[in-house]
Amino acid sequence: MRTRTVAFLITAALAVYFVLLGGRAVVLMGTGDPVGIGLGIGVLLLPLIGAWIAWTNLKFGFTTERMARQLDAEGALPDTSALPRRPSGRVDREAADAWFEERRADVESRPEDWRAWFLLAQAYDLAGDRGRARDTMRKAIDLHGGASGRA
């Protein structure tokens, strides 16, 4: 199953859960009891926070996918399939480090180019540093948004 399909299925399941949780919140608030009302408000906040988190993650994924398609159309999306891999499928550490250093040098020479930041995020991901990959991709998204008017 494609990642996008899985994301939509999980989001649909979350939406059902949020509706059910919201219904329980309304029932709690309808009791008229101050404790019930307080709990109802607290329970109602959970689906609102969850919906916001789901939306921001979906938006991040859609934007990243759109940027990757643009890079691919420009012929600038590198093929990393030739990099040597471990038996687990992860890129060999030395190869990932060398590829990372090239991307880092690109960012240093073109700090305002979203493409360089996108590729650096990809390098972080190949190296297994998902947190820095997401942070770096956010920078690429910010720069892309400034260049195209949307993020």
Side-chain angles (χ1 to χ4, degrees), residues 28 31-40:
L28 281 168
T31 64
D33 181 40
V35 173
I37 293 170
L39 284 172

Side-chain angles (χ1 to χ4, degrees), residues 107 110-118 140 143:
V107 166
R110 302 177 296 148
E112 296 303 315
D113 186 356
W114 70 266
R115 291 163 184 84
W117 285 94
F118 185 99
L143 291 171

Side-chain angles (χ1 to χ4, degrees), residues 90-109:
R90 291 188 70 176
V91 174
D92 180 67
R93 182 68 180 182
E94 289 179 13
D97 288 346
W99 205 78
F100 173 82
E101 288 303 321
E102 292 174 21
R103 305 293 80 78
R104 189 173 59 81
D106 286 345
V107 166
E108 288 174 358
S109 67

Side-chain angles (χ1 to χ4, degrees), residues 1-11 58 61-63 65-66 69:
M1 222 185 295
R2 289 188 57 209
T3 304
R4 183 176 227 168
T5 304
V6 171
F8 279 126
L9 289 174
I10 290 172
T11 303
L58 285 172
F62 292 145
T63 304
E65 188 177 313
R66 185 175 62 243
R69 280 195 309 266

Side-chain angles (χ1 to χ4, degrees), residues 44-80:
L44 188 59
L45 289 176
L46 292 175
L48 295 175
I49 292 169
W52 176 77
I53 290 170
W55 168 248
T56 58
N57 281 297
L58 285 172
K59 184 179 172 188
F60 178 85
F62 292 145
T63 304
T64 301
E65 188 177 313
R66 185 175 62 243
M67 292 165 64
R69 280 195 309 266
Q70 183 177 342
L71 277 177
D72 191 36
E74 295 171 357
L77 191 62
D79 181 12
T80 59

Side-chain angles (χ1 to χ4, degrees), residues 125-139:
D125 187 59
L126 282 175
D129 192 343
R130 305 281 190 246
R132 286 190 179 144
R134 284 186 73 84
D135 291 343
T136 304
M137 188 60 75
R138 284 187 191 99
K139 173 72 174 177

